[in-house]
Amino acid sequence: MLQIYNRANELRSSLKNLGAVGFVPTMGNLHAGHLSLIKESLKHHKNTVVSIYVNPTQFGENEDFKTYPRTLDKDVSSLESLEHQNKKLFIFAPFDDKEIYPSGKSVISACDYTSSSLFEGKLRPGHFDGMITVVKRLFEMINPQHAYFGKKDYQQLLLVKELVKKFELSTKIIGMPTTRDANGLPLSSRNSYLSAQEIHQALILPQTLQQLKKVYLKNKSLEDVQKSIQKIKERDGKFNYLAVTDACDLSRAHESTKKLILLGNYQVAETRIIDNLEIL
Ligand code: AMP
């Protein structure tokens, strides 16, 4: 059964006394990546909430807030087509920003979170403040047992885990694998901005990450990877960043780091492509 809510108080009262709820926050324009998170929640919960909200506070002034694809009718159809026998699926598509920010759009600062000023945080000042704020608001509203986030936005996933720890929230955060197209490009709502030729250019990022993983696995040498990264960046100026880091907190990787992750952001025309690859 699928129900759509536009008002936070109506959603809140419907969820009262329902028991455990799974939650998938999204900005809509749903694709197979989003649906994989929603299916996972449906598998484990009688009740799943999917929020569809293009959150203004996480966009910078020169970013694509106005043009971000808003496709609610199509999103509802995609959700209707999901198998969810005996399961309840609640869509929360706020009527306006007041449903999320009843007392104005002030944001909490993510500056004391481990990695908030690195990588995406550096490229998009204020982005994580807005993201952390909206996730906290939605968690307060829904109080989910589990919330599902994509590893595609790996830094976001780490920061949300930190949010939960910091405010001692009871929600457990589940990180889900990245869904890719047949060529290995991570699915993203922003891929709709790209022409066929630009999609082809975007593939440079996942291909580079695979290549760097091979470099590492050959001699298990971080130095080899760092040298390759240096060369790649010198050859191609379109990497906004490309790095190998500690997967636990995105700090600089050392030979003794147990869990490594490659992170990259690649500029294709006006669009920034984001991807990552866990190595160990
Ligand atoms: P968004 O609508 O872009 O804010 O994404 C909503 C959630 O879906 C976030 O947790 C994303 O990390 C996740 N997500 C987006 N794209 C993918 C993908 N290709 N594979 C898996 N999860 C994804």
Side-chain angles (χ1 to χ4, degrees), residues 24-28 31 33-34 36-37 58 68 148-153 156 176-180 186-189:
V24 183
T26 82
M27 297 203 298
H31 52 63
H34 297 114
S36 71
L37 274 55
Q58 70 188 68
Y68 196 86
Y148 299 81
F149 287 82
K151 287 188 182 178
K152 183 185 79 93
D153 302 290
Q156 167 173 286
M176 294 291 293
T178 300
T179 305
R180 296 170 184 278
L187 298 187
S188 162
S189 304

Side-chain angles (χ1 to χ4, degrees), residues 52-98:
I52 295 182
Y53 177 59
V54 184
N55 171 38
T57 65
Q58 70 188 68
F59 285 78
E61 262 181 34
N62 299 318
E63 293 189 335
D64 55 342
F65 174 69
K66 284 204 175 114
T67 51
Y68 196 86
R70 290 160 171 87
T71 54
L72 186 59
D73 291 346
K74 199 168 140 267
D75 293 344
V76 171
S77 305
S78 312
L79 293 174
E80 272 167 351
S81 69
L82 287 182
E83 267 297 316
H84 42 89
Q85 269 178 348
N86 306 323
K87 304 274 170 124
K88 281 193 185 155
L89 188 52
F90 300 81
I91 301 178
F92 178 46
F95 180 73
D96 59 19
D97 294 331
K98 286 206 187 87

